[in-house]
Amino acid sequence: MSESRILILFLVLATAAVDAVLLFQSPAEHQWPESSAAVLLGMACGQVNLATVWAVLGRRLLAWRLAALVTVPIGWSLAIDLAADFRGVSGYETAGSWAVHLFAQAVLLAPVLLVFRMRGGRLSCRSSAAAAEPSRRLQFTLGRLFGWLTASAIVLSAVKSVVGLWKVRTGDFDWWGILILGLVSAAIGLVFVWVLLGTRGLSARLAAALATAIPAIVAAGYACCVADERRLWAVIQLWLVVALYCSAAMGVLRVAGCRTGRGPGGCGTLVRAGLRGVPPTPA
């Protein structure tokens, strides 16, 4: 096993260990807006960021990446419903409500990464540097068929689980709160994508991170104006945990040789090559 895969495996195991420690506490210890609940939600939001980055920019089979994009938010919504006590917060008593929160964050983050991917951006590690040729990647093999079937079964099971517990009324949601929490959490993840996984110069990466942080700062400022002191402190702790997890996880990925560099195979390259009448360079 290569060094990069070992580091990524350690990251997954360490994340699972921390999650287990948090989730195996009694629900009474995770009451919003207590610090323990903020840490639990921060870990969930940080891992939704990581799953979204891999789902949009990864090179693995699309079925598995889409499965991760769906099952991570649903899995965390079910875990929060079992391990936390939010009965005092209107509209947040079931897993379905947290699924809306986490999916909103993924939906806010994914379009930015999708635009980057369409321009040729990919998440590549040293172990996947020698990627297959495009003609080979487009072949629909028996293994890919089983991959799609298995991933689809996982997604359908996860969706069925959360829909079976769906007892929420959309009118109970604080949609501004969902937007602000999701926007800031997604922006935190995007900042560390540019800074830690980018391939451009440090000044360019910092400039991209600053541009990304501006809307998050505005949203956080709005939260400071409308939230009471106790809930505001819990939300700040949540965002701090998101930042700590994203920085640690993406720092490990950087050490493992993972980068979000632009390749020559983006949609823009294909269009320009077609207009010039020359074949595009393979990614």
Side-chain angles (χ1 to χ4, degrees):
M1 185 180 291
S2 65
E3 178 184 352
S4 61
R5 290 187 178 182
I6 292 174
L7 288 173
I8 293 173
L9 177 61
F10 282 161
L11 171 62
V12 173
L13 293 176
T15 298
V18 174
D19 292 346
V21 170
L22 292 174
L23 293 173
F24 286 155
Q25 299 176 18
S26 66
E29 297 183 30
H30 297 306
Q31 294 185 355
W32 185 259
E34 301 297 332
S35 296
S36 58
V39 172
L40 183 70
L41 295 178
M43 288 295 293
C45 293
Q47 289 165 43
V48 168
N49 278 341
L50 205 63
T52 306
V53 171
W54 184 70
V56 178
L57 298 181
R59 293 177 177 267
R60 295 291 181 181
L61 182 65
L62 178 61
W64 292 117
R65 292 188 279 121
L66 292 178
L69 186 60
V70 174
T71 55
V72 170
I74 288 179
W76 262 110
S77 64
L78 294 171
I80 292 170
D81 181 55
L82 293 173
D85 181 8
F86 286 85
R87 287 174 294 181
V89 184
S90 176
Y92 292 91
E93 296 88 359
T94 66
S97 58
W98 292 111
V100 171
H101 245 294
L102 298 177
F103 273 117
Q105 177 184 333
V107 168
L108 288 168
L109 177 59
V112 180
L113 297 173
L114 185 59
V115 171
F116 181 62
R117 183 180 179 95
M118 292 178 66
R119 294 176 62 85
R122 296 292 189 276
L123 178 63
S124 301
C125 295
R126 283 197 293 260
S127 60
S128 61
E133 292 296 324
S135 59
R136 185 178 177 183
R137 291 203 304 265
L138 294 175
Q139 290 178 358
F140 198 78
T141 62
L142 186 61
R144 289 176 179 271
L145 176 61
F146 280 120
W148 274 101
L149 290 175
T150 305
S152 299
I154 293 172
V155 170
L156 290 175
S157 299
V159 172
K160 182 180 178 181
S161 299
V162 76
V163 169
L165 298 173
W166 189 277
K167 299 176 182 178
V168 297
R169 295 174 297 177
T170 56
D172 291 337
F173 286 132
D174 177 10
W175 292 106
W176 275 111
I178 291 175
L179 179 62
I180 291 172
L181 280 174
L183 176 63
V184 176
S185 298
I188 291 171
L190 199 58
V191 164
F192 287 106
V193 169
W194 302 145
V195 173
L196 294 178
L197 300 181
T199 56
R200 305 182 69 180
L202 180 60
S203 58
R205 286 185 280 136
L206 291 177
L210 179 60
T212 301
I214 290 175
I217 293 172
V218 173
Y222 175 79
C224 292
C225 296
V226 300
D228 62 80
E229 182 177 352
R230 191 177 175 202
R231 284 178 172 79
L232 177 61
W233 174 236
V235 170
I236 291 174
Q237 287 179 302
L238 187 157
W239 288 332
L240 286 174
V241 173
V242 175
L244 288 173
Y245 178 79
C246 289
S247 62
M250 294 182 193
V252 171
L253 292 178
R254 183 175 181 86
V255 173
C258 297
R259 299 290 187 275
T260 55
R262 287 187 182 179
C267 294
T269 301
L270 295 175
V271 172
R272 289 192 297 270
L275 292 175
R276 291 197 295 264
V278 297
T281 304

